[in-house]
Amino acid sequence: MTLYPLDIRLRTIRENMMSNFGENSTASEVLASKDLSGKTIFITGGNSGLGMESGRAMAAQGAHVVLAGRDQGKLDDAVSSIKNENPDAQIETIICDLGSLESVQSCGKEASQRLGKIDVLLNNAGVMACPHSKTADGFEMQFGTNHVGHFLLTKQLMPLIEKGQDKRIVNLSSRGHHITPVNLDDPNFENREYNEWASYGQSKTANILFTVGLENRFADKGIHAYAVHPGGIQTNLGRHMSEEEEAALVARVTENDPDFSWKTIPQGAATQCWAATAAELEGKGGVYCEDCHVAEVDDTSPNSGVRSYALDQASADRLWSMSEEMVGESFSA
Ligand SMILES: NC(=O)c1ccc[n+]([C@@H]2O[C@H](COP(=O)([O-])OP(=O)(O)OC[C@H]3O[C@@H](n4cnc5c(N)ncnc54)[C@H](OP(=O)(O)O)[C@@H]3O)[C@@H](O)[C@H]2O)c1
């Protein structure tokens, strides 16, 4: 097992002793003691699965929730579902297709006109194991959506985050990052055969490296970033897998982790809600969280921890420069 430097390791142990929550906690339980009135929470992928559940649970605690998505009909359905349960929910929607830099730019402009600030940005949207395809700007679909789109969106929203009180950015990663580091020489699979799992894995490693890059550049401004693995949850994320492929995936996971069971959606949304609000994480970003605690660095365990390559500073810097080139904009503090 590889370890964080001693100071971060001691900090991790102390924080984990302080966390009252674990793998079975739900988003509502994590937020139960939080008064989120006056907070603006911006959630990508807010129309489905973990994003929608996070929005529901945060609105229940009084937050002003902005659900971002690429389909207005799906966003409207999500709002109706949340408002059916909680008619007082303060909730609005905004169009953002992360697979189009133009759409992300327009979303940023519209958000700056409509919102006075953002307290928490939840970069939650994602696509998994899709057949080979490209975004509108020619990036491989999973790298382009899961990383590049969120990189530009975060840049666009940064002036609003600077005006927020909480100043947190939560990036949904995955244990899928164990599959592989980012191939920084060929992130778009131009010179190698496409593999849908290598693509998902590198995009989820990129989410952690982006978290490290954000922390390095923005911590001095009081802005902190957290990466999250939510657990295994049956959502629309599996839409590109056949039943046989899903069964094979579960068999592989169970081989490494005989105690594996799916989390419910409310349990799956817990860790991102914890990372967005936990007092014990205040000022301590650049970490990867799972089951409502900060994970240890571990280069061998198949069923827990964060790989050291995902926290590597040099890789984080290379990815940052490459992403700036891809979106055609510099992004600095
Ligand atoms: N579920 C799990 O077991 C699991 C495990 C590890 C990590 N995660 C991560 O958790 C996050 C949430 O996933 P989920 O399980 O809640 O899946 P989900 O129900 O499929 O939700 C994914 C969301 O991302 C949105 N999205 C996909 N492509 C987009 C694009 N081009 N532009 C804008 N939005 C886009 C989807 O919108 P549409 O409805 O329009 O497609 C949907 O709202 C993902 O980042 C995923 O990688 C999930």
Side-chain angles (χ1 to χ4, degrees):
M1 186 195 284
T2 313
L3 299 175
Y4 284 111
L6 185 63
D7 58 334
I8 302 184
R9 184 165 160 69
L10 289 173
R11 198 182 87 190
T12 303
I13 292 168
R14 194 175 60 244
E15 277 152 14
N16 289 341
M17 286 170 67
M18 286 164 68
S19 175
N20 294 320
F21 305 106
E23 64 176 318
N24 297 319
S25 302
T26 64
S28 299
E29 287 165 1
V30 162
L31 297 176
S33 65
K34 306 279 175 191
D35 177 4
L36 300 183
S37 43
K39 312 272 186 207
T40 301
I41 319 283
F42 190 107
I43 308 176
T44 69
N47 61 276
S48 177
L50 309 183
M52 181 176 150
E53 174 60 14
S54 299
R56 189 200 62 74
M58 288 182 166
Q61 299 307 121
H64 166 212
V65 172
V66 184
L67 300 180
R70 56 182 162 172
D71 180 318
Q72 191 61 53
K74 288 185 187 176
L75 286 167
D76 291 343
D77 288 348
V79 172
S80 302
S81 158
I82 293 171
K83 286 218 169 204
N84 268 346
E85 184 186 310
N86 173 11
D88 296 332
Q90 278 186 73
I91 194 149
E92 62 180 295
T93 66
I94 192 163
I95 287 290
C96 179
D97 182 349
L98 292 157
S100 156
L101 297 182
E102 193 185 344
S103 173
V104 174
Q105 298 271 17
S106 321
C107 172
K109 282 196 190 105
E110 198 179 325
S112 65
Q113 286 158 7
R114 278 168 47 186
L115 308 173
K117 58 156 186 161
I118 291 174
D119 291 287
V120 177
L121 169 61
L122 208 47
N123 283 326
N124 158 89
V127 58
M128 180 178 81
C130 56
H132 185 255
S133 56
K134 291 183 178 175
T135 66
D137 307 280
F139 306 121
E140 184 280 314
M141 184 59 74
Q142 297 190 70
F143 186 71
T145 305
N146 298 353
H147 171 63
V148 183
H150 278 125
F151 181 86
L152 180 60
L153 181 68
T154 305
K155 197 238 155 173
Q156 297 293 113
L157 298 181
M158 202 48 107
L160 289 171
I161 297 168
E162 284 180 24
K163 290 184 194 150
Q165 197 186 349
D166 299 45
K167 297 183 171 55
R168 290 195 188 193
I169 300 167
V170 178
N171 295 318
L172 261 286
S173 175
S174 167
R175 188 165 298 150
H177 86 273
H178 287 189
I179 298 169
T180 178
V182 180
N183 184 328
L184 292 162
D185 295 319
D186 188 17
N188 288 306
F189 289 84
E190 283 158 344
N191 303 311
R192 56 189 169 130
E193 197 176 330
Y194 179 72
N195 175 284
E196 68 272 28
W197 287 108
S199 164
Y200 183 65
Q202 75 159 5
S203 75
K204 292 288 131 181
T205 298
N207 296 146
I208 306 171
L209 291 173
F210 180 40
T211 303
V212 170
L214 281 167
E215 188 68 19
N216 287 344
R217 285 163 183 78
F218 291 94
D220 284 350
K221 288 187 151 184
I223 296 169
H224 296 281
Y226 307 85
V228 163
H229 167 61
I233 310 100
Q234 288 175 302
T235 62
N236 292 327
L237 194 68
R239 73 185 83 175
H240 296 292
M241 283 192 290
S242 64
E243 271 182 33
E244 294 75 36
E245 285 166 336
E246 187 174 313
L249 177 69
V250 172
R252 280 200 303 279
V253 171
T254 313
E255 201 178 303
N256 292 320
D257 182 3
D259 297 330
F260 171 80
S261 61
W262 295 107
K263 286 187 181 185
T264 64
I265 290 178
Q267 289 171 336
T271 303
Q272 60 211 64
C273 289
W274 181 74
T277 59
E280 57 265 46
L281 290 179
E282 189 52 48
K284 297 164 183 166
V287 293
Y288 169 96
C289 307
E290 57 189 357
D291 294 336
C292 302
H293 67 266
V294 176
E296 300 274 346
V297 181
D298 190 322
D299 281 331
T300 53
S301 170
N303 50 30
S304 65
V306 57
R307 297 296 193 241
S308 53
Y309 57 68
L311 298 171
D312 181 66
Q313 304 284 338
S315 304
D317 283 342
R318 247 189 101 191
L319 177 69
W320 194 280
S321 310
M322 176 188 287
S323 307
E324 288 181 317
E325 271 178 42
M326 287 173 164
V327 303
E329 291 190 29
S330 68
F331 183 8
S332 54

